[in-house]
Amino acid sequence: MYKSAFYTAMVLMLMGCGGGSSSAPITKVPHASDTPTIETNIEQAYLNAINNKRSKQQDCGSKGMKPTVTPLAWNDALYKAAYEHSEDLAESSTFSHVGSGTTSDWTAQVQNLGRGSTFKERIENNGYANWKNLGENIAKGQTTVEDVVSSWMNNPGHCANIMNSKYNEIGMAQYKKEGVVYWTQNFGAR
């Protein structure tokens, strides 16, 4: 009984703490489908597909020829933000870099934004703080990592994000609903 009361008091006390700068991560409230841990082989497949493209000069159409760039490292906070947005896109039947602002837009709910979240807000909300550069790619409908990366490489803006030397970390996720796969790729550098 006393242990239970003590732990309840500690949880309530910790929940009451706040403050900090606007770039500090905001604790996400529990969500009905919390971010699953990504399997190591899937994480590696995502990294291989992206870093393979980064290892060669690429023609990004109207964004020009892009030289080879260093490989990206995986970042779990960027993955969580990517998963959040992929799930939101699927659950809200929307397709935009701006979150839906509905209950599936976790960041908008946690921060009481009264609008859809931006990719920067989602990334910060999932714990990626003190960043220098951020970027995001989204896609819908591709069923494999190879297909989605090819699709992004055929789009000048997405290709330029993948080949951007200012990024050194990545998180990528997919969410499937009713046979349609939604993809989000978040880039960062600190």
Side-chain angles (χ1 to χ4, degrees):
M1 166 101 178
Y2 293 111
K3 272 187 185 178
S4 176
F6 173 77
Y7 289 124
T8 301
M10 290 302 295
V11 168
L12 291 173
M13 199 168 74
L14 289 171
M15 288 173 60
C17 295
S21 70
S22 63
S23 66
I26 297 168
T27 303
K28 183 172 65 174
V29 295
H31 190 271
S33 66
D34 236 358
T35 308
T37 302
I38 190 167
E39 295 176 25
T40 305
N41 62 324
I42 294 172
E43 175 186 313
Q44 193 60 55
Y46 291 172
L47 279 172
N48 290 346
I50 296 304
N51 287 330
N52 180 45
K53 297 298 181 187
R54 288 174 63 92
S55 72
K56 300 173 184 86
Q57 180 179 350
Q58 299 290 336
D59 182 354
C60 291
S62 64
K63 299 291 183 179
M65 293 299 291
K66 302 295 179 187
T68 61
V69 285
T70 58
L72 296 170
W74 188 260
N75 182 281
D76 282 330
L78 293 174
Y79 159 70
K80 288 175 182 178
Y83 185 87
E84 174 187 338
H85 194 51
S86 292
E87 180 178 24
D88 180 36
L89 294 174
E91 294 299 327
S92 66
S93 297
T94 58
F95 191 72
S96 172
H97 289 284
V98 177
S100 68
T102 66
T103 56
S104 61
D105 185 352
W106 310 342
T107 295
Q109 299 306 307
V110 168
Q111 296 183 9
N112 296 312
L113 296 176
R115 59 168 171 76
S117 62
T118 66
F119 74 92
K120 291 176 185 179
E121 290 165 335
R122 289 187 297 273
I123 288 170
E124 288 176 350
N125 185 54
N126 281 281
Y128 197 78
N130 303 316
W131 51 267
K132 294 178 189 171
N133 297 293
L134 296 176
E136 180 177 80
N137 286 343
I138 60 174
K140 174 183 170 184
Q142 299 83 358
T143 57
T144 67
V145 66
E146 293 80 10
D147 289 344
V148 75
V149 170
S150 291
S151 176
W152 282 326
M153 294 307 291
N154 288 322
N155 175 287
H158 294 149
C159 177
N161 265 349
I162 290 171
M163 297 304 293
N164 192 329
S165 64
K166 292 181 181 178
Y167 302 137
N168 57 21
E169 294 181 297
I170 190 172
M172 183 172 159
Q174 64 166 293
Y175 187 89
K176 187 175 183 179
K177 183 176 180 184
E178 297 173 358
V180 180
V181 183
Y182 295 80
W183 300 85
T184 305
Q185 193 176 50
N186 287 324
F187 303 93
R190 295 188 266 197

